[in-house]
Amino acid sequence: MTQVDANRTPSNLTEQFMQALQVIEQTGDVEPLVALFAKGSSLKNLTTHTWTGQDGAREFWTAYLSNFEQIRSEFTHHLEASNTGLMEWEATGQLKGGSDLAYRGVSIIEIDGDKVSAFRTYYDSAAFVNTGVAEVRSE
């Protein structure tokens, strides 16, 4: 797996997204990732809820981080073409309460200029079901 090089300037929005995700996972501060989302953006995961705008992105990523004591996403493949970014990844870490976790997924971003206009992610939800931890949901 590859780690995004923090010393290298990302060449496109997909690489900026990957780098910002790894930063928020390390720091707990979601703002570097939220800043990449457009005001009218949408975010979706395996739930039926849709988050919108930068406030929705903030809520989504804060809820994501709240599931974990620690989490680290490593990217195995990524591609950006035709205003779409694709990222294949594996995340490892510990859930709140200390259970180890490893799961894989794919995330897609739609790009409008220099901002993310839509985010969708698909992942192995069985990793969460088996531990009893809920996925990122809206309250």
Side-chain angles (χ1 to χ4, degrees):
M1 282 186 271
T2 59
Q3 178 176 327
V4 177
D5 184 353
N7 297 320
R8 182 178 154 287
T9 302
S11 63
N12 58 46
L13 188 57
T14 302
E15 290 179 357
Q16 289 176 43
F17 186 97
M18 294 185 314
Q19 188 174 67
L21 177 61
Q22 289 180 332
V23 166
I24 75 160
E25 289 174 339
Q26 291 172 7
T27 67
D29 177 10
V30 300
E31 293 307 314
L33 192 52
V34 169
L36 297 179
F37 283 83
K39 291 188 187 335
S41 60
S42 65
L43 297 88
K44 296 180 182 181
N45 64 8
L46 295 177
T47 68
T48 58
H49 187 78
T50 299
W51 292 262
T52 57
Q54 289 187 324
D55 288 341
R58 186 173 295 107
E59 181 183 340
F60 180 93
W61 293 109
T62 299
Y64 165 76
L65 291 177
S66 74
N67 286 303
F68 310 105
E69 290 290 339
Q70 60 181 6
I71 191 70
R72 180 72 174 166
S73 297
E74 299 291 339
F75 297 91
T76 55
H77 297 90
H78 72 280
L79 172 70
E80 184 172 309
S82 302
N83 297 321
T84 302
L86 175 67
M87 296 158 279
E88 185 176 11
W89 48 265
E90 182 172 329
T92 56
Q94 285 187 323
L95 293 165
K96 293 286 185 188
S99 297
D100 289 338
L101 175 75
Y103 68 111
R104 292 185 192 134
V106 172
S107 297
I108 301 163
I109 58 173
E110 292 179 23
I111 300 165
D112 185 6
D114 63 349
K115 296 289 185 183
V116 175
S117 61
F119 169 80
R120 295 180 301 281
T121 190
Y122 307 94
Y123 51 88
D124 177 11
S125 62
F128 291 91
V129 173
N130 293 338
T131 61
V133 172
E135 300 160 38
V136 177
R137 297 176 195 247
S138 175
E139 298 299 329

